[in-house]
Every structure is written in C-alpha cells, then in structure tokens.
Amino acid sequence: MSQPSDAPRQATVPDEAAGRRFDAVLADLFPEYSRSRLAAWIKSGDALLDGRAARPRDPVRGGEAVTLVAVAEVQTEAVPEDIPLDILYEDADLFVLDKPAGLVVHPGAGNPTGTLVNALLHRDPGLAALPRAGIVHRLDKDTSGVMVVARTLPAHTGLVAQLAAREVHRQYLAVVVGALVSGGTADAPIDRHPRDRLRMAVREDGRDAVTHFRLRERFRAHTALECRLETGRTHQIRVHMQHLRHPIVGDPLYGGPLKLPKGASEALAAELRGFRRQALHAETLEFAHPVGGAPVRVSAPVPADMVGLLRVLGEDTRAWDESQRR
C-alpha cells in the first residue's frame, strides 16, 4: 500500500530551535511531508508537542518530544477501473508510465471514468490517500508519453518540490508545420485566452513560460523538434509553437486549417488529413529520486502514429528533392 503508516513517529525539538513556531520546527523535523499536510495534522491533533495538542504558532522551548501520526485520508473518490497501464519504471515510492494518446488524466465533468486516475487506483488502491492520486504533473488527453506518479506522501512532496524548482528534465518530440533552419527558445508568458476559455494564449500579463527547442529532423515543409520545458504551463509547447507560427501538426486547438505542401503526394496528403491529434510526445523524464536522491531517467518510445508520420514526411522530402534535381 502506498499510504503512510499510522504508527507514531517520534522526534525531539533541538535546543537551538527555542522560540520558533511549532509548525516551522515540525517542517524541519519531517521535511518529507508538505507544510500544508503537516498543518492539517497539527489541526487534527495528529502532531503533538510533549503529548499535547499545540497551535501552529505556539513557540517551542527546545527538548520537547514531538509525536506525529501520519494519517492517510481519502483524497479522491474516483472509482478504480481495470485499464491497462504501460509501466516503464516502478518501486515502492513511484511509478513512471507511458500514457497513450487519447487517455484523459483526471476525471472531470465530461470524463468521470476511463481516466488515468481510475487506472492508477486499480493498480495501487493506496493512491486514494494522495493528492490527485499521486499525479504531480499532467499530459493533455492527446499527448502521449512519459509521466511520473508518486506512491507515497514523501515522494509526492519531493517531486512537487523538484518541479517547482525546475529541476525535472522534461523532453518532448514535436512535429511542427514549417521547415525551421535552427533551434531556439520561446520565452513568452502564458495564461488563459481572454475570450476562449478552452484555450491558452501568450499574454503580457501571463505566467512566465520558457520552452527550449532544437532541430531533430528537417523536412521540406515540416520539422521534428526536440523540446525541453523549463516551466510547465498548460498547453505550453502547443501555445509557444503557434506563437512562433510553427503550430504542431494535427493540433485541434492551435493548429489552424490544414495546409498541404506544394506538390504533396497522395500518401502525405492522406497522412496529414488523418492525423487528428497534436503530434506531441513526452519522450524523456529525468529527476532525482524523491527518496534517496539517486538519478532516474526514463524514456517512452515514439508511438506508432508519430513514427508513421515521420516516415511519410521523410519519403515526401526525398521524393521532392529528387524531383528538383531532374
């Protein structure tokens, strides 16, 4: 089970902490838990100072005994469902999985079941005790690729902290419209679109957003890019590529109308018309293990639909180059 043990944990307030607030000292003694979770345990009486309930702001003297009962509470009411998962890495603290395109991550009004959360709860019922069933970052429904899921509160706290500190390496493969000549960086703030609430947009008053990209393969009218996220805003790569006027192939929100390259073959026209999702794949995750600190690097193979797209784009480019040499 991934939920924490209800066995009491003991610690002693160091003498040098005299005069500090109880909640601050508790956070130092048990850094594997978030401050918000520790505050909830103080309020519920599951964190005791010398055997008695204390307020978060109460000062400590130094030398007191601290008792913490890390009580697991149900955080999600989603129903477990036997949905296959492609687990790439697993240990007692976390899962790393390859999410297929088409799988919604969180249950919502339009998707109460059949989501990644439902599948995870079937795989590990203890995830019900974690915020968002252990999910610390998300992928859009039609973006495929690698995701990390915490199985314990300490792992959840550690992963969230690494993401906030921009210490998680997230690399994506994107196929975009237009033949780029070089890589670069999109440094443009993002927030909700002012009129269309389903979309995000580059806005001066938005939250900072940075995407680094470099050329993976150049075709005559498209480019395969390797993108690295410095921040993690909703739809970030999709919005940044549209902002640069190189939208992702197949993107239903940001791609605009389909434009076939001049002299496109029947195979290329059929492939582009039939590619109905954004050609975006979360390829690699690198982070420090949240319990122990060992480096973890996991990659998800490029899915078959994107492999097919890249193949047809390559064939079209070679045929075009050959025709121009005649």
Side-chain angles (χ1 to χ4, degrees):
M1 299 289 283
S2 62
Q3 60 205 68
S5 170
D6 288 349
R9 302 184 60 182
Q10 306 286 341
T12 301
V13 176
D15 292 337
E16 58 268 25
R20 295 182 63 203
R21 290 170 55 115
F22 178 44
D23 57 357
V25 173
L26 194 67
D28 288 345
L29 293 174
F30 301 101
E32 64 269 32
Y33 299 117
S34 69
R35 286 179 177 265
S36 60
R37 181 57 64 109
L38 291 170
W41 284 333
I42 293 174
K43 184 178 180 180
S44 65
D46 294 304
L48 303 177
L49 186 65
D50 262 350
R52 61 178 177 80
R55 296 171 298 181
R57 67 174 181 272
D58 286 349
V60 301
R61 301 185 310 274
E64 299 102 317
V66 174
T67 303
L68 176 66
V69 180
V71 178
E73 300 177 355
V74 174
Q75 298 290 314
T76 177
E77 300 295 337
V79 177
E81 293 182 73
D82 188 4
I83 300 170
L85 290 174
D86 186 1
I87 303 295
L88 303 173
Y89 173 89
E90 175 181 358
D91 62 27
D93 298 293
L94 54 86
F95 290 123
V96 182
L97 58 94
D98 183 1
K99 187 192 86 68
L103 181 63
V104 174
V105 172
H106 295 287
N111 300 280
T113 59
T115 71
L116 177 59
V117 166
N118 300 106
L120 287 169
L121 291 173
H122 183 271
R123 179 69 181 250
D124 182 355
L127 293 175
L130 299 183
R132 296 180 176 269
I135 293 173
V136 296
H137 67 119
R138 63 184 289 272
L139 295 177
D140 298 331
K141 173 186 175 183
D142 288 326
T143 296
S144 57
V146 64
M147 288 182 62
V148 61
V149 178
R151 302 182 70 182
T152 63
L153 278 173
H156 186 276
T157 301
L159 289 170
V160 168
Q162 287 186 56
L163 285 163
R166 304 182 182 182
E167 295 171 347
V168 177
H169 174 81
R170 288 173 286 177
Q171 177 182 305
Y172 289 69
L173 171 64
V175 182
V176 302
V177 176
L180 280 75
V181 296
S182 66
T185 294
D187 185 349
I190 291 174
D191 212 326
R192 190 68 59 183
H193 193 283
R195 293 178 301 278
D196 186 347
R197 306 308 291 173
L198 296 177
R199 295 159 57 97
M200 307 297 287
V202 169
R203 296 177 50 168
E204 291 185 1
D205 59 349
R207 302 173 67 191
D208 68 308
V210 180
T211 303
H212 306 283
F213 58 94
R214 65 181 185 180
L215 273 60
R216 174 78 68 86
E217 188 172 2
R218 189 169 182 263
F219 306 104
R220 70 181 180 100
H222 298 82
T223 308
L225 295 176
E226 183 179 293
C227 300
R228 182 173 64 82
L229 290 181
E230 187 172 314
T231 54
R233 308 303 175 209
T234 300
H235 299 174
Q236 178 172 313
I237 297 175
R238 300 165 66 186
V239 173
H240 274 163
M241 290 301 105
Q242 180 204 39
H243 180 66
L244 295 175
R245 299 184 180 179
H246 293 287
I248 294 176
V249 169
D251 194 325
L253 274 181
Y254 305 102
L258 173 63
K259 295 180 181 178
L260 296 175
K262 178 183 177 182
S265 65
E266 290 185 7
L268 178 59
E271 184 69 27
L272 293 174
R273 290 193 180 104
F275 207 93
R276 299 298 182 88
R277 70 160 178 117
Q278 61 267 14
L280 183 62
H281 174 66
E283 206 168 28
T284 300
L285 267 181
E286 292 184 62
F287 54 92
H289 195 286
V291 181
V296 178
R297 184 181 192 275
V298 184
S299 295
V302 179
D305 62 346
M306 287 186 66
V307 170
L309 174 64
L310 292 169
R311 177 181 54 79
V312 174
L313 287 171
E315 291 171 351
D316 171 79
T317 298
R318 289 188 291 273
W320 178 262
D321 290 344
E322 179 63 28
S323 70
Q324 297 306 297
R325 287 194 291 268
R326 293 172 185 162

